[in-house]
Amino acid sequence: MPIKTSTSMSGFVASTPQLTRTESGDARLYMKVGQEHFTRNEDGSFTQGETSFHDFVMFRRAAEKAAQFTKGDKFVAEGYVHAYTVTDGDGQMFEREEFVGRKIGHDTAVTNYSVNRTLRQAAVEQGVPMIQQGSSQVGLATFQTVSQPAPVAVGM
């Protein structure tokens, strides 16, 4: 069976996440995110380019859970790019795009965090079925980020 892949993005939360509701009552998370861009030089060093900023949205339960992110958090997300057309007040049409996240997590390369498996252990003790993946058991877990300065990026 082939490996399932999807579009992803990484970056940092550039605005305070806003959790609202759609007309149908579903949770909708919106935040502006930033991506830093680097160019590799011939000598192996890197030059930082301009930072780009993008719209990021999530829906339903994933949006409610992702509302815990705060401005400055580094993340990795899975989803897709949604392109759409907007008409401004003068009737001019222009293209916009947003990243629609399905899953999101803190970037483990630059974020220190601890894992609390209390919920998963309680589920096992109560006989709640867990998902088996090979020899690993995957289930409920909560993550608590530990606020520490991010390490300096090192090029390879």
Side-chain angles (χ1 to χ4, degrees):
M1 184 181 312
I3 296 173
K4 179 185 173 192
T5 63
S6 66
T7 304
S8 66
M9 81 172 297
S10 62
F12 63 92
V13 179
S15 70
T16 302
Q18 301 171 18
L19 185 62
T20 58
R21 297 281 170 188
T22 64
E23 289 180 10
S24 61
D26 290 329
R28 177 186 184 270
L29 177 75
Y30 169 82
M31 57 189 174
K32 190 65 85 170
V33 298
Q35 289 187 306
E36 295 174 322
H37 300 277
F38 294 87
T39 303
R40 186 182 190 116
N41 302 317
E42 287 184 24
D43 66 358
S45 64
F46 290 86
T47 301
Q48 184 169 2
E50 283 193 43
T51 301
S52 61
F53 294 92
H54 311 278
D55 293 327
F56 183 100
V57 295
M58 291 186 87
F59 296 94
R60 295 176 277 294
R61 185 169 179 220
E64 292 170 344
K65 289 185 167 273
Q68 72 175 331
F69 279 77
T70 61
K71 189 173 178 179
D73 284 350
K74 303 273 187 161
F75 70 89
V76 177
E78 174 184 310
Y80 61 95
V81 176
H82 171 236
Y84 58 98
T85 304
V86 176
T87 305
D88 67 12
D90 297 331
Q92 295 283 93
M93 294 175 45
F94 57 96
E95 290 289 316
R96 299 269 329 241
E97 65 180 17
E98 64 188 359
F99 190 86
V100 181
R102 291 188 178 125
K103 299 176 183 177
I104 190 170
H106 289 93
D107 185 345
T108 60
V110 294
T111 305
N112 295 317
Y113 61 92
S114 62
V115 178
N116 178 347
R117 291 189 173 88
T118 307
L119 292 174
R120 180 167 70 181
Q121 185 59 37
V124 169
E125 291 171 1
Q126 294 175 10
V128 175
M130 305 297 283
I131 301 167
Q132 293 290 332
Q133 289 187 344
S135 62
S136 298
Q137 193 173 42
V138 178
L140 302 171
T142 59
F143 296 88
Q144 176 182 4
T145 58
V146 179
S147 223
Q148 292 184 356
V152 175
V154 177
M156 298 185 348

